[in-house]
Amino acid sequence: VMFTVQPPAEADFTTSTFFRNTTEIYELFIPLMSLLSAYYLFGKDRIEGVLESVLVRPLSKTSLMLTRYFSGAFSVIGASLISFALSSLVIYESYGKFLPESASLSILWTIVAEVLSFSGIMFLLPTFIKSQARLISAMVGIFLVADLFWSFRPIFPSLIMAAIPGISAGGITYFRDTIISYYLSPAGLSTISEGLNLGPYAIPGVPSITVQG
């Protein structure tokens, strides 16, 4: 990944309109749907002992977990793709053309990667946590830290940057590390995708940095 300072680039209007209106929606609802699917498809049953009755049949614990993981992840991916298709139709009806192929592929890969990542994290929690209250608290905590206050409302990246000695706000190092911080959470994939497609003004707090990957 390269970080260069350059004048603002003019993005395709349909691409700009789509990302400006949908990025935050994906950042918020994809992790939330992944959390709910992981809890209801796996976590709740595991803690309540329902899975033990299922495992009496000739099915390993790993196979059962993977089956539920992929079923939950695919359902969230499917719902996200339907919303993307509907949004694309709205863009077409409003402006007379669809999103460019590069932007569409970027969005599709972002959806798949974000869903698989968050679902994987949420499905792993019940293997270590045996209490329903603790499981719910852990899931909500991860949602708040890794999504709501990391990418949707980037409070934690700003706090981390402010806590690192020797980095002054507004400098090149500050901007570079702010961009890198979005790689630390799966929710940041939407922001990174927006930055790759729109350029300088896409990433919060980084007005003059273009991400090239």
Side-chain angles (χ1 to χ4, degrees):
V1 179
M2 299 175 58
F3 302 91
T4 58
V5 182
Q6 63 180 43
E10 188 67 31
D12 177 84
F13 182 72
T14 55
T15 304
S16 176
T17 301
F18 182 89
F19 276 100
R20 298 298 184 194
N21 291 283
T22 62
T23 296
E24 289 190 345
I25 296 176
Y26 284 126
E27 286 177 349
L28 180 64
F29 285 102
I30 286 180
L32 186 58
M33 288 189 296
S34 299
L35 183 158
L36 293 174
S37 67
Y39 177 73
Y40 284 107
L41 287 177
F42 185 70
K44 184 171 179 286
D45 289 347
R46 180 177 175 81
I47 290 175
E48 292 180 351
V50 175
L51 294 185
E52 278 64 25
S53 63
V54 176
L55 289 173
V56 174
R57 304 173 184 177
L59 184 66
S60 68
K61 185 180 295 185
T62 301
S63 298
L64 180 61
M65 179 180 176
L66 288 176
T67 299
R68 296 201 174 196
Y69 165 72
F70 283 113
S71 63
F74 289 154
S75 64
V76 176
I77 290 173
S80 301
L81 292 181
I82 290 173
S83 70
F84 169 65
L86 293 175
S87 299
S88 299
L89 289 176
V90 170
I91 292 290
Y92 179 78
E93 290 295 327
S94 300
Y95 305 108
K97 61 177 181 177
F98 288 106
L99 290 171
E101 183 179 354
S102 60
S104 298
L105 291 175
S106 175
I107 294 165
L108 294 177
W109 281 112
T110 299
I111 289 174
V112 173
E114 194 169 335
V115 171
L116 293 178
S117 300
F118 262 107
S119 295
I121 294 172
M122 296 302 179
F123 268 83
L124 281 176
L125 289 178
T127 63
F128 301 104
I129 301 174
K130 308 303 180 184
S131 166
Q132 187 164 330
R134 291 179 181 176
L135 176 62
I136 294 175
S137 299
M139 286 182 165
V140 172
I142 290 177
F143 171 74
L144 292 176
V145 172
D147 178 49
L148 193 62
F149 296 133
W150 196 281
S151 186
F152 185 71
R153 290 293 179 262
I155 295 176
F156 282 110
S158 300
L159 292 176
I160 293 173
M161 292 301 104
I164 298 177
I167 298 181
S168 59
I172 296 299
T173 302
Y174 177 86
F175 291 151
R176 181 201 63 198
D177 292 345
T178 298
I179 295 173
I180 293 174
S181 71
Y182 283 99
Y183 284 87
L184 301 178
S185 169
L189 293 175
S190 297
T191 302
I192 294 169
S193 177
E194 184 178 2
L196 291 172
N197 282 278
L198 301 188
Y201 295 112
I203 299 180
V206 188
S208 58
I209 298 294
T210 296
V211 185
Q212 296 179 345

